[in-house]
């Protein structure tokens, strides 16, 4: 009995130890994680980088929301998505507006790219004076939001969890185009021209998901 207890405690210590690969997250074991501790993890690339408009600070990636849209976004951070044919997975990140949004369609979140083109987004967005989760147009308060995009083959499920809540809510479901050099992006845009609005991303991870 004593040996069994010690073994379980040892396994728990490994799982809880920061930086180890034997880590389990919400929904399954971790494929990739970046807590933005001092620098970006390997495998990211910038699209239209503006070096003075992003920073890593206190365990988070902060990007200034600049004017632009999905096709002209600056400082979009991308990495290859897992192969959809090998099983289901979920992409998770916590997003926050460090400055209250004021511009129509000002937004931040996750964008999915297929063959270099943005085809889907799960974002926190200002629309007509309110703040919503898109897709689904679910109203939320201006608080940190945990976003979760579950991908099962060509099917996606967009979920979110406002700060202080325990359960994820489903915003919408749909399908992705056929895979072709799929990439996952963290990005923000439709920011003001003459004000600095900073957006924050924390605890990014991709986890295996039950089929």
């Amino acid at each position: 009995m004593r040996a069994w207890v010690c073994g379980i405690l040892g396994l728990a210590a490994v799982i809880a130890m920061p930086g180890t690969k034997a880590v389990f997250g919400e929904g399954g074991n971790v494929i990739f994680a970046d807590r933005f501790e001092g620098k970006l993890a390997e495998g990211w690339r910038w699209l239209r980088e503006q070096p003075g408009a992003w920073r890593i600070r206190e365990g988070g990636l902060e990007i200034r929301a600049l004017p632009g849209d999905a096709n002209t976004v600056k400082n979009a951070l991308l990495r290859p998505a897992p192969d959809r044919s090998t099983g289901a997975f979920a992409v998770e990140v916590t997003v926050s507006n460090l400055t209250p949004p004021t511009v129509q369609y000002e937004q931040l979140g996750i964008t999915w790219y297929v063959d270099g083109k943005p085809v889907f987004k799960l974002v926190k967005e200002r629309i007509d004076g309110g703040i919503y989760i898109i897709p689904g147009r679910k109203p939320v308060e201006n608080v940190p939001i945990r976003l979760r995009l579950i991908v099962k083959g060509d099917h996606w499920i967009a979920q979110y969890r406002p700060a202080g809540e325990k359960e994820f809510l489903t915003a919408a479901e749909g399908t992705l185009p056929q895979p072709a050099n799929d990439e996952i992006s963290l990005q923000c845009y439709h920011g003001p021209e003459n004000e600095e609005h900073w957006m924050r991303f924390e605890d990014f991870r991709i986890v295996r998901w039950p089929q």
Side-chain angles (χ1 to χ4, degrees):
M1 175 65 75
R2 181 177 179 181
W4 180 82
V5 171
C6 289
I8 292 297
L9 292 176
L11 176 60
V14 170
I15 291 175
M17 187 180 299
T20 63
K21 294 184 178 179
V23 178
F24 289 83
E26 294 169 326
N29 61 308
V30 174
I31 299 171
F32 172 83
D34 193 348
R35 293 181 177 272
F36 307 116
E37 296 174 337
K39 64 178 182 179
L40 295 173
E42 295 295 326
W44 292 107
R45 73 176 182 91
W46 287 106
L47 177 63
R48 304 185 192 96
E49 182 184 7
Q50 304 286 307
W54 72 270
R55 63 199 181 198
I56 292 180
R57 187 170 67 95
E58 297 176 354
L61 168 66
E62 297 177 355
I63 303 176
R64 180 183 171 185
L66 297 169
D69 58 25
N71 296 308
T72 62
V73 57
K74 299 179 177 64
N75 281 338
L77 187 63
L78 292 88
R79 70 173 302 104
D83 184 347
R84 289 190 246 160
S85 68
T86 62
F89 57 90
V91 182
E92 300 181 359
V93 69
T94 299
V95 298
S96 308
N97 296 78
L98 299 186
T99 311
T102 59
V103 178
Q104 178 78 328
Y105 307 129
E106 189 172 343
Q107 61 189 267
L108 76 161
I110 300 167
T111 297
W112 192 279
Y113 281 74
V114 173
D115 213 14
K117 297 179 180 180
V119 298
F120 169 83
K121 67 179 184 180
L122 170 56
V123 297
K124 178 187 179 189
E125 181 172 353
R126 185 182 193 271
I127 303 174
D128 298 334
I131 300 175
Y132 300 89
I133 298 299
I134 301 295
R137 197 165 173 141
K138 303 296 184 181
V140 293
E141 299 296 322
N142 187 26
V143 297
I145 304 285
R146 186 72 174 169
L147 300 177
R148 174 194 280 167
L149 175 62
I150 302 170
V151 177
K152 298 182 177 183
D154 294 337
H155 185 71
W156 57 259
I157 304 171
Q159 297 185 332
Y160 66 102
R161 185 183 66 196
E165 299 295 328
K166 294 182 179 180
E167 302 295 330
F168 277 87
L169 303 173
T170 295
E173 299 186 36
T175 57
L176 291 169
Q178 289 297 306
N181 302 313
D182 289 8
E183 292 180 287
I184 299 161
S185 176
L186 301 180
Q187 56 183 251
C188 56
Y189 50 86
H190 281 305
E193 184 75 46
N194 300 314
E195 297 179 23
E196 291 195 12
H197 284 195
W198 288 85
M199 314 292 199
R200 184 172 171 87
F201 301 83
E202 298 175 277
D203 191 18
F204 176 85
R205 58 187 172 182
I206 305 172
V207 299
R208 294 289 179 194
W209 200 258
Q211 296 290 341

